[in-house]
Amino acid sequence: MSKVIANMSMSLDGFIADPADGIDRLFGWMGSGDVEVPTAVEWATFRMSPASAEYMRTSMESVGALITGRHLFDITQGWGGTHPLGVPIVVVTHREAPADWPHTETFTFTGGVEEAVEAATKAAGDKDVVVASAKIAQQCLDAGLLDAVHIDLVPVLLGSGVRWFENLGKSPVQFGDPTVIEGNGVTHLAYEVTKRA
Amino acid sequence: MSKVIANMSMSLDGFIADPADGIDRLFGWMGSGDVEVPTAVEWATFRMSPASAEYMRTSMESVGALITGRHLFDITQGWGGTHPLGVPIVVVTHREAPADWPHTETFTFTGGVEEAVEAATKAAGDKDVVVASAKIAQQCLDAGLLDAVHIDLVPVLLGSGVRWFENLGKSPVQFGDPTVIEGNGVTHLAYEVTKRA
């Protein structure tokens, strides 16, 4: 059964980026080990601890589509047309899709989270949909569309930045106890939603 | 070697109390199992999962003094004179100590965190000092007085409330990977500070 999963690297004080959108301190675990984890693109190969590598490989195999925001799409320039996960991408945006964007087979642009989840679920088949955007994850939570939250918890207090769970409209949201995988510079915590507000 | 440890139960979105100072959803794990953990007072006996009970017993044995804020002291009415941990208590406050407070042997009232840590460390001997206050933990972090942060991470998004790490003056603060203990309704994460800003 396909699940909709929000996944981010987060600091102990709840930030998923620093005030300048920087993520260096939160993504160090992706290069903190010796085990190579290739991706769908040549420019991104991770080198992780054995535990994180196993976790990442399993996660990558189970993902069938990715939902992201326009902001991330823009700052990564659409990952050059191929996301490291190598799956169809749904970009939530209120603006027009880039006029000259050629990768129309793998990229879909939609205006709302409901449509995005619908499109991504269809594209994912029996695999999972991953939501890689703080804002969209919040909207999915509020809309009752999220099944799980996977936190890559990084042992740092950033003090300021962009919070993952900043503007929840409906709370509390209750989860079960997590599956825990201990990496190097990260603790992977996989929570499933058990009760919505 | 005595350590200064901040310890709180925290939601996934970083809150240690709801907007009305409520902690019910964050302290459920203390009654979520069958293993009795007695404390120094009759009115507080925990019933925890085996893992949390073992963690709690070990923690309680290693604590030699507790630092708290005046707010918690006031709303608990000074725990009736004996804190469940049964250790000397240092209350950080800018107000006078209560005039009729009889428990002067176990309670100390000080005006600043440096003095509080000094007094608590002296009282703790070779045991650890626990800081049980969000605000004082922040001040200790900023003053470089904290050795470790023990997070009892509760699988809930509260959406609003009192944040543990709200006003850090000096950041980032880097920790090592945590010791992880998986309880019932909680994940105990013990982090040691490795690098201060």
Side-chain angles (χ1 to χ4, degrees):
Chain A
M1 177 68 185
S2 174
K3 286 187 292 191
V4 181
I5 302 166
N7 176 224
M8 305 286 277
S9 287
M10 184 179 88
S11 71
L12 297 181
D13 46 356
F15 297 106
I16 51 99
D18 70 26
D21 263 345
I23 51 171
D24 288 358
R25 285 185 171 270
L26 296 173
F27 279 45
W29 62 273
M30 293 185 177
S32 67
D34 294 327
V35 183
E36 276 202 6
V37 181
T39 69
V41 295
E42 274 187 30
W43 49 265
T45 296
F46 305 124
R47 288 179 170 276
M48 303 175 166
S49 67
S52 285
E54 175 63 22
Y55 165 80
M56 183 61 98
R57 279 199 202 107
T58 307
S59 299
M60 286 170 72
E61 281 168 13
S62 65
V63 178
L66 190 84
I67 299 176
T68 184
R70 183 61 178 267
H71 182 60
L72 189 59
F73 174 87
D74 284 344
I75 60 177
T76 63
Q77 299 184 301
W79 297 274
T82 306
H83 189 279
L85 286 174
V87 297
I89 307 289
V90 178
V91 183
V92 180
T93 178
H94 292 297
R95 288 181 282 134
E96 292 288 309
D100 54 349
W101 185 249
H103 311 281
T104 49
E105 276 186 29
T106 45
F107 282 75
T108 307
F109 296 83
T110 73
V113 291
E114 283 84 0
E115 297 84 355
V117 170
E118 197 179 327
T121 303
K122 193 175 168 190
D126 57 356
K127 292 194 169 188
D128 295 332
V129 171
V130 166
V131 179
S133 154
K135 202 178 285 182
I136 297 167
Q138 291 168 28
Q139 293 172 0
C140 285
L141 271 172
D142 284 343
L145 295 170
L146 215 59
D147 299 304
V149 170
H150 292 187
I151 304 173
D152 301 318
L153 192 64
V154 177
V156 66
L157 290 169
L158 287 184
S160 59
V162 182
R163 286 190 204 276
W164 191 354
F165 305 108
E166 180 68 352
N167 296 298
L168 291 182
K170 291 183 185 171
S171 58
V173 183
Q174 185 70 48
F175 301 82
D177 282 310
T179 303
V180 181
I181 292 170
E182 301 179 48
N184 182 11
V186 67
T187 307
H188 306 287
L189 302 167
Y191 293 94
E192 301 210 354
V193 175
T194 55
K195 198 177 173 192
R196 299 179 170 93
Chain B
M1 178 67 187
S2 175
K3 285 187 291 190
V4 181
I5 302 166
N7 176 224
M8 305 288 277
S9 287
M10 184 179 89
S11 69
L12 297 181
D13 46 354
F15 298 106
I16 50 97
D18 69 26
D21 263 345
I23 52 173
D24 288 359
R25 284 184 170 273
L26 296 173
F27 280 44
W29 62 272
M30 292 184 177
S32 68
D34 293 329
V35 183
E36 276 201 4
V37 180
T39 70
V41 297
E42 275 187 29
W43 50 265
T45 296
F46 304 125
R47 286 178 171 277
M48 301 176 168
S49 66
S52 286
E54 176 63 23
Y55 165 80
M56 183 61 98
R57 280 199 201 106
T58 308
S59 298
M60 287 170 71
E61 282 168 15
S62 65
V63 179
L66 190 84
I67 299 175
T68 184
R70 183 60 178 268
H71 181 60
L72 189 59
F73 175 87
D74 285 344
I75 61 177
T76 62
Q77 297 185 302
W79 298 274
T82 306
H83 189 278
L85 286 174
V87 296
I89 306 290
V90 178
V91 183
V92 179
T93 179
H94 293 297
R95 289 180 280 135
E96 292 287 309
D100 55 348
W101 184 251
H103 311 280
T104 49
E105 276 188 29
T106 45
F107 283 75
T108 306
F109 297 83
T110 73
V113 292
E114 283 83 1
E115 298 84 354
V117 169
E118 195 178 329
T121 302
K122 193 175 169 190
D126 57 357
K127 292 194 170 188
D128 294 332
V129 171
V130 166
V131 178
S133 155
K135 201 177 287 182
I136 297 166
Q138 290 167 29
Q139 294 172 358
C140 285
L141 271 172
D142 284 342
L145 296 169
L146 215 59
D147 300 303
V149 170
H150 291 187
I151 303 174
D152 301 319
L153 192 64
V154 177
V156 67
L157 290 169
L158 287 183
S160 58
V162 182
R163 286 189 204 276
W164 190 354
F165 304 108
E166 180 68 351
N167 297 299
L168 292 182
K170 291 184 187 171
S171 58
V173 183
Q174 185 70 47
F175 300 83
D177 282 310
T179 303
V180 181
I181 293 170
E182 301 180 49
N184 182 11
V186 68
T187 307
H188 307 287
L189 302 167
Y191 293 93
E192 301 210 353
V193 175
T194 55
K195 196 175 174 194
R196 299 179 171 92

